[in-house]
Amino acid sequence: MSETDVLLEVRDLWKEFQVADGPTIQVLRGIDLEVAAGERVAIVGPSGVGKSTLLHILGTLDRPTRGEVRFRGEDVFRRSPEALARFRAESLGFVFQFHHLLPEFSALENVMMPGLLRGEARGAMAPLATRVLEEVELGHRLNHPVGKLSGGERQRVAVARALVLEPPMLLADEPTGNLDPETASHIDALLLRINRERGTALVIVTHNEGLAAQLGRRVEIRGGGIGLEAPAGGTPSAVG
Ligand SMILES: Nc1ncnc2c1ncn2[C@@H]1O[C@H](COP(=O)(O)OP(=O)(O)OP(=O)(O)O)[C@@H](O)[C@H]1O
Ligand SMILES: [Mg+2]
């Protein structure tokens, strides 16, 4: 991987949690990871090992106890809270297992939301949101309240919302964990197509081995958060 196409760089990342009256839990212990522009990465590992914790830190939704997250060479956690929020809105798209959409609002309004929050005009966002909803094959449901869409349709709205500002990277935490297998494979195919056509890097936490295989690169978190990394079908080598 050349210097120039590294999008995300994680160095010696540690995360511990402390709950009231409980012991300190060491979840991530020195994770190293690089993701190139346009790359596809599956993050796998048993329940409770720290996959969501890692994804939240990569997405700057939480801070590490120690270590660095660099995006295009810049240490993201050195930014001011305002600059960090702007960075997150412009550079990252998020898709979660439970979609966090606004059920009362239409598909179009939900997808326009990231732009509106950034201060863009409705008139500017509506055509962008329409185009990305057409891309996820929901052009016929633009004005439908999201609460009245099917599960798979909602998750496609969530994908559209994550993509509307054209981030270079999409982070997804079990994006299809809540869907039936057929709908799930439809969403998986959609994410892979977005990667192919737009060059959006994908970092996806998944328990689905089929999806992990399609993504091509597999990062396994295990043993209290020690990262083991291997190309698909290759020999694992410790990077943690
Ligand atoms: N905010 C928090 N405070 C305290 N402990 C936490 C917090 N968030 C996560 N943990 C603990 O950290 C560990 C890792 O949690 P995490 O959600 O990252 O696991 P995961 O690998 O995503 O699991 P799953 O596959 O079940 O989603 C768990 O033991 C969890 O209980
Ligand atoms: Mg999780």
Side-chain angles (χ1 to χ4, degrees):
M1 198 181 296
S2 81
E3 290 273 334
T4 47
D5 62 6
V6 175
L7 196 55
L8 183 79
E9 202 181 341
V10 174
R11 287 288 166 255
D12 195 25
L13 197 76
W14 292 67
K15 180 65 178 178
E16 60 184 40
F17 290 113
Q18 177 91 58
V19 286
D21 300 326
T24 301
I25 309 168
Q26 292 288 351
V27 180
L28 304 177
R29 308 179 187 206
I31 298 279
D32 289 321
L33 178 67
E34 279 184 11
V35 180
E39 203 181 358
R40 304 184 309 232
V41 182
I43 296 185
V44 300
S47 177
V49 83
K51 303 180 299 298
S52 296
T53 301
L54 175 61
L55 203 78
H56 284 142
I57 296 173
L58 300 185
T60 73
L61 299 168
D62 197 3
R63 285 176 175 263
T65 309
R66 202 175 99 199
E68 277 181 7
V69 175
R70 293 181 169 272
F71 197 88
R72 291 181 169 146
E74 200 184 327
D75 185 342
V76 294
F77 292 113
R78 285 180 187 263
R79 295 173 195 236
S80 68
E82 298 75 28
L84 192 61
R86 203 172 334 114
F87 159 76
R88 196 185 298 130
E90 287 172 2
S91 301
L92 304 172
F94 295 94
V95 184
F96 296 101
Q97 179 172 2
F98 299 98
H99 45 73
H100 303 300
L101 297 167
L102 303 169
E104 313 284 310
F105 288 81
S106 71
L108 189 66
E109 286 164 324
N110 269 277
V111 175
M112 286 166 61
M113 204 61 77
L116 301 182
L117 291 174
R118 201 175 72 169
E120 304 287 344
R122 295 182 73 86
M125 285 314 296
L128 296 180
T130 301
R131 198 180 324 137
V132 71
L133 278 162
E134 284 167 352
E135 206 174 330
V136 301
E137 294 165 43
L138 281 176
H140 59 305
R141 290 283 186 275
L142 297 180
N143 297 312
H144 220 75
V146 157
K148 293 186 175 158
L149 292 172
S150 75
E153 287 172 339
R154 277 180 222 168
Q155 204 58 322
R156 281 186 275 154
V157 175
V159 171
R161 182 186 54 180
L163 291 172
V164 72
L165 298 181
E166 302 196 3
M169 175 174 283
L170 199 141
L171 302 171
D173 195 351
E174 298 182 45
T176 58
N178 210 19
L179 300 171
D180 67 86
E182 195 179 326
T183 311
S185 67
H186 191 87
I187 301 283
D188 294 346
L190 168 65
L191 293 171
L192 291 163
R193 176 162 62 78
I194 297 288
N195 167 263
R196 256 192 337 268
E197 291 178 1
R198 293 187 174 220
T200 310
L202 303 178
V203 178
I204 304 183
V205 171
T206 183
H207 287 285
N208 178 340
E209 286 299 332
L211 175 60
Q214 282 181 287
L215 290 167
R217 181 169 161 215
R218 205 183 136 87
V219 172
E220 189 164 342
I221 313 284
R222 69 171 141 193
I226 293 167
L228 291 176
E229 194 174 348
T235 314
S237 63
V239 295

